[in-house]
Amino acid sequence: MEVTESSVKANHGASVPDTSASREQISQAHWLQSRGIKAEERVQLTRLSHMRYQHPDLDVLSDFMLNFGMTVAKRTESEVWFRGYGVDQYVYYATKGPKKFLGGVFAIDSKEEFEKALKVPGALPVQKLSEDPGGGQMVTIVDPDGFPFNVIFGQETGEDASTPATTKLRANYPHEKQRLREFNRFERGPAAVHKVGHFGYSTERFEELLSFYTSHFNIVPTDLLYMEHDGHRMDVTTFMHLDLGQNHTDHHSFFLGASPIGSHVHHCSFEVFDYDTQHLGHQWLASKGYRSVWGVGRHILGSQIFDYWWDPAGNMVEHYTDGDLVNEDTPIGILPAGHESLAIWGPEVPLAFLQ
């Protein structure tokens, strides 16, 4: 094909309204109504607090997490709590033992809502977290696929810690020069983690889990991806956020993907400050010999810049920055599933990420 001036167009990017980001959309209220979900009966989660895992070697894990950008909040012979520089007392908890996923943890603000969580099917006895930084109590709810889902109440919040990673840089554009007689200089090191952003599952019971989480908790889809089967649409992936009314929240705190080869946790993700922080963190982890999964690139749904890694036990963990924010007025995007919906730029998606 002959290349002409009219056939080659420069790339383009823009921040567009959520109401026009997808060709096909449905309101959150209509989707909840169509599934018979009564919003007032759901447990009102406030935010994603931290992740919980079991690891065979806490020393090896600690080395990785320090290079990943966390700090140690507390450690004993059999447990370690890692924190970021946000308000959470810790963003990752690990206990010693064979490799095991122990669930994500959502915080709740009121005793009334916590008591509602205790009545969700699959709820186990309350666990006192008296030895954990910030204290509190937690209930683990085993979902229909056997995944542990945790709700914490009564934990004291911390304070934002100061960190060199939170210096906002000025950018110079062709027709807008913000940085005058100032030079950008950086120090190499880990990408400091701010908070945990999201986690999710690959599951053989997609529809059952979608119904379970959206009916029992204030979790709603931001995007639903489907595949065509015998002339009918079948939802196979969803990115979901906390329904906090008019308050804005992350594009997704939780996600589900249909899996034909077995159910398992897919990955958990942690926010870092900006693009440079993330790239410097990528170089730092690579220099230490850790294994990259996929990245650095830019997602389409959620818009995040992503960078996925394997931890020493073989769990997938992610750095992300620059994610979308939504609220109850954000319509649910309805899109066809496919590799092309995963990223607008970055390396080719590896098979390991899709499993």
Side-chain angles (χ1 to χ4, degrees):
M1 176 180 176
E2 182 182 358
V3 177
T4 65
E5 185 175 349
S6 61
S7 67
V8 179
K9 296 183 179 180
N11 66 56
H12 174 70
S15 298
V16 302
D18 56 11
T19 52
S20 61
S22 301
R23 291 182 180 179
E24 184 177 350
Q25 299 179 325
I26 184 175
S27 74
Q28 292 182 28
H30 186 274
W31 188 87
L32 291 170
Q33 184 181 31
S34 71
R35 297 177 70 94
I37 297 172
K38 297 181 179 179
E40 66 278 4
E41 295 180 356
R42 301 173 302 173
V43 177
Q44 298 298 302
L45 308 173
T46 304
R47 73 180 193 284
L48 183 57
S49 166
H50 68 276
M51 302 301 303
R52 300 178 78 86
Y53 285 80
Q54 191 166 281
H55 282 266
D57 192 324
L58 296 184
D59 290 332
V60 172
L61 173 68
S62 294
D63 288 344
F64 173 79
M65 284 305 189
L66 293 176
N67 285 298
F68 191 74
M70 298 183 191
T71 58
V72 175
K74 181 180 178 180
R75 177 160 184 180
T76 67
E77 290 186 3
S78 60
E79 298 172 292
V80 57
W81 296 257
F82 299 96
R83 74 161 297 163
Y85 64 86
V87 299
D88 295 296
Q89 294 279 354
Y90 50 96
V91 297
Y92 193 105
Y93 164 84
T95 185
K96 187 174 177 61
K99 177 185 173 183
K100 188 177 182 181
F101 176 67
L102 303 179
V105 185
F106 283 90
I108 254 176
D109 278 349
S110 76
K111 182 69 173 177
E112 179 183 7
E113 293 299 324
F114 187 67
E115 290 176 349
K116 283 169 63 176
L118 303 183
K119 299 175 184 177
V120 174
L124 301 177
V126 173
Q127 179 182 352
K128 300 292 185 180
L129 301 179
S130 55
E131 300 301 317
D132 293 36
Q137 52 187 327
M138 184 179 74
V139 59
T140 298
I141 299 163
V142 181
D143 75 16
D145 206 2
F147 291 114
F149 184 87
N150 307 287
V151 176
I152 190 173
F153 170 70
Q155 183 191 58
E156 297 178 4
T157 56
E159 296 181 359
D160 275 335
S162 60
T163 169
T166 57
T167 300
K168 186 176 181 180
L169 301 177
R170 298 183 180 92
N172 282 339
Y173 298 96
H175 298 293
E176 181 184 351
K177 307 299 184 183
Q178 304 177 42
R179 197 177 68 254
L180 306 176
R181 297 187 64 192
E182 294 178 336
F183 305 159
N184 283 339
R185 296 293 184 266
F186 302 91
E187 294 183 10
R188 292 181 175 85
V193 164
H194 174 234
K195 68 169 187 176
V196 58
H198 60 264
F199 72 101
Y201 309 138
S202 296
T203 174
E204 293 181 305
R205 305 171 75 169
F206 177 88
E207 179 58 38
E208 192 172 356
L209 289 199
L210 176 61
S211 178
F212 177 82
Y213 283 107
T214 56
S215 61
H216 290 296
F217 304 96
N218 61 325
I219 296 175
V220 294
T222 311
D223 291 297
L224 283 165
L225 283 70
Y226 65 86
M227 296 184 69
E228 297 280 356
H229 182 69
D230 293 335
H232 299 282
R233 289 182 177 182
M234 179 174 62
D235 292 332
V236 294
T237 301
T238 181
F239 298 96
M240 298 185 282
H241 66 270
L242 294 184
D243 180 3
L244 302 180
Q246 285 294 303
N247 293 327
H248 290 88
T249 186
D250 289 338
H251 174 275
H252 59 282
S253 297
F254 185 54
F255 66 90
L256 297 171
S259 170
I261 60 172
S263 298
H264 59 90
V265 60
H266 190 270
H267 74 270
C268 62
S269 183
F270 300 87
E271 184 181 34
V272 299
F273 187 68
D274 64 4
Y275 182 85
D276 288 292
T277 302
Q278 191 166 19
H279 271 264
L280 287 165
H282 180 98
Q283 290 185 340
W284 183 262
L285 285 166
S287 73
K288 299 299 180 181
Y290 293 112
R291 295 184 298 146
S292 172
V293 180
W294 185 34
V296 176
R298 167 93 64 177
H299 281 309
I300 297 174
L301 303 181
S303 302
Q304 300 99 328
I305 300 175
F306 62 81
D307 192 21
Y308 298 89
W309 293 82
W310 295 117
D311 76 10
N315 301 297
M316 195 187 304
V317 292
E318 178 194 14
H319 282 145
Y320 80 92
T321 190
D322 193 25
D324 293 336
L325 296 178
V326 299
N327 69 6
E328 66 180 355
D329 295 328
T330 300
I332 299 171
I334 311 294
L335 307 99
H339 296 180
E340 63 276 6
S341 67
L342 290 174
I344 189 61
W345 59 260
E348 286 294 317
V349 58
L351 179 61
F353 183 84
L354 299 173
Q355 295 178 337

